Amino acid sequence: MKMSKGQLSAWLLGLAVAGMTLVWGGSASAESGQPAPWEYKLQEAATPVMENITWFHGLLLTIITIITLFVLALLIAVVVKFNARANPVPSQTTHNTLIEVAWTLIPVLILVMIAVPSFRLLFLELDVPNADLTIKATGKQWYWSYAYPDNGKFEFDSLMAQDKKPRLLAVDNEMVVPVNKVVRVQTTGADVIHSWAIPSFGVKIDAIPGRLNETWFKATKVGMYYGQCSELCGKDHAYMPIAVRVVSDQEFTAWVEDAKKKYASAPTSSYASAAGLSQ
């Protein structure tokens, strides 16, 4: 089917609009803090870092879409205009200074446009601000232990709960943090390398035995947020969820007082009991 220049332009414009709608469309309809069936976007942002990640993701997809459509248009133009039937006498042109300068300069400008917000985002993620609360997360096979050194130095284990929803994400003891507070998370591993990751927070950091890594987040919305260990750490890697409950300041203060009593007399779970519950 022969397509005129106007029809080709309209078709390419339609593809571009569809691509922009896909990239910049509204947030997922899933409940905040967990994945949804057939979800193709990032989870809804619950921290400033994740908001920046979502924006940068949209920028990159926009640039990729424009480049892909431009290359496609060039290929179609070459096929239509420069085939043997339409152009029996081939051009003998070998150099074009303007084109050579353009295809060198334009990619450089595109890379600079990507690099500047990329470096800013990396700095935002890695520069831990003054924390209101510090929590130590220790990865074990196959569960997490959380310590609150700023709030009485109590510690508890967080194991996957078999009888709770959402499946494979709910735990028996959630990590609890106050809303709109900077939380420093220090991670380490007790046995092998694990990875503490919460998609809605834009956080993913390895928990390595013998090393203390740290990251941070500032949750701006009250609710439950889920993640999983993102490092292949053994046979029960898929059963090592992370659950963070974000509450108000008053609720957090009340929870800390209860936690001091609850976890002061209850020793942390042994490796054997954890392994038994994870079967």
Side-chain angles (χ1 to χ4, degrees), residues 159-218:
L159 293 89
M160 187 182 72
Q162 301 285 358
D163 55 348
K164 288 185 180 180
K165 299 292 183 180
R167 178 177 175 270
L168 300 182
L169 292 176
V171 299
D172 55 355
N173 298 310
E174 299 104 357
M175 173 176 155
V176 181
V177 299
V179 69
N180 290 321
K181 292 292 189 294
V182 175
V183 180
R184 178 195 290 117
V185 180
Q186 297 179 331
T187 63
T188 188
D191 33 52
V192 298
I193 298 177
H194 301 278
S195 185
W196 199 84
I198 301 285
S200 293
F201 291 173
V203 171
K204 182 180 183 296
I205 188 167
D206 286 344
I208 303 172
R211 178 173 176 175
L212 197 66
N213 287 338
E214 69 176 17
T215 185
W216 71 281
F217 65 83
K218 181 181 178 182

Side-chain angles (χ1 to χ4, degrees), residues 2-279:
K2 193 171 182 179
M3 187 179 294
S4 66
K5 290 184 179 179
Q7 291 174 323
L8 178 60
S9 299
W11 180 69
L12 292 176
L13 179 61
L15 280 179
V17 171
M20 296 306 102
T21 302
L22 181 66
V23 170
W24 295 105
S27 60
S29 59
E31 181 182 350
S32 177
Q34 60 180 290
W38 301 101
E39 187 175 37
Y40 63 89
K41 302 184 188 124
L42 300 175
Q43 289 187 24
E44 183 178 350
T47 67
V49 169
M50 188 59 192
E51 289 174 358
N52 279 271
I53 290 174
T54 302
W55 176 86
F56 187 59
H57 173 264
L59 173 66
L60 290 182
L61 280 181
T62 301
I63 293 174
I64 292 170
T65 301
I66 293 173
I67 292 174
T68 302
L69 293 176
F70 176 71
V71 173
L72 176 63
L74 289 180
L75 289 174
I76 293 175
V78 168
V79 170
V80 172
K81 189 175 180 180
F82 296 102
N83 61 73
R85 181 182 302 173
N87 191 39
V89 180
S91 171
Q92 300 298 314
T93 302
T94 57
H95 292 82
N96 187 303
T97 303
L98 178 62
I99 291 178
E100 291 180 356
V101 170
W103 71 33
T104 301
L105 187 59
I106 292 175
V108 170
L109 295 176
I110 292 174
L111 290 177
V112 170
M113 185 170 58
I114 293 173
V116 172
S118 174
F119 293 151
R120 287 178 178 174
L121 178 57
L122 285 174
F123 183 80
L124 177 64
E125 292 176 347
L126 298 176
D127 183 38
V128 180
N130 293 329
D132 300 302
L133 173 67
T134 298
I135 299 175
K136 182 180 179 183
T138 303
K140 303 177 181 178
Q141 291 181 312
W142 285 269
Y143 61 100
W144 294 93
S145 291
Y146 298 110
Y148 285 67
D150 297 340
N151 302 92
K153 299 182 180 180
F154 59 86
E155 183 176 356
F156 60 90
D157 292 340
S158 180
L159 293 89
M160 187 182 72
Q162 301 285 358
D163 55 348
K164 288 185 180 180
K165 299 292 183 180
R167 178 177 175 270
L168 300 182
L169 292 176
V171 299
D172 55 355
N173 298 310
E174 299 104 357
M175 173 176 155
V176 181
V177 299
V179 69
N180 290 321
K181 292 292 189 294
V182 175
V183 180
R184 178 195 290 117
V185 180
Q186 297 179 331
T187 63
T188 188
D191 33 52
V192 298
I193 298 177
H194 301 278
S195 185
W196 199 84
I198 301 285
S200 293
F201 291 173
V203 171
K204 182 180 183 296
I205 188 167
D206 286 344
I208 303 172
R211 178 173 176 175
L212 197 66
N213 287 338
E214 69 176 17
T215 185
W216 71 281
F217 65 83
K218 181 181 178 182
T220 57
K221 302 174 184 177
V222 172
M224 281 294 303
Y225 300 91
Y226 297 97
Q228 290 177 303
C229 175
S230 297
E231 186 73 42
L232 291 174
C233 57
K235 71 181 185 66
D236 285 341
H237 159 71
Y239 307 102
M240 194 174 171
I242 302 164
V244 178
R245 179 155 52 99
V246 181
V247 299
S248 65
D249 290 342
Q250 295 79 7
E251 290 176 307
F252 178 73
T253 301
W255 176 84
V256 166
E257 294 305 316
D258 290 340
K260 288 178 182 178
K261 302 173 184 177
K262 179 179 179 181
Y263 301 119
S265 58
T268 56
S269 301
S270 66
Y271 172 85
S273 63
L277 284 173
S278 64
Q279 294 297 325

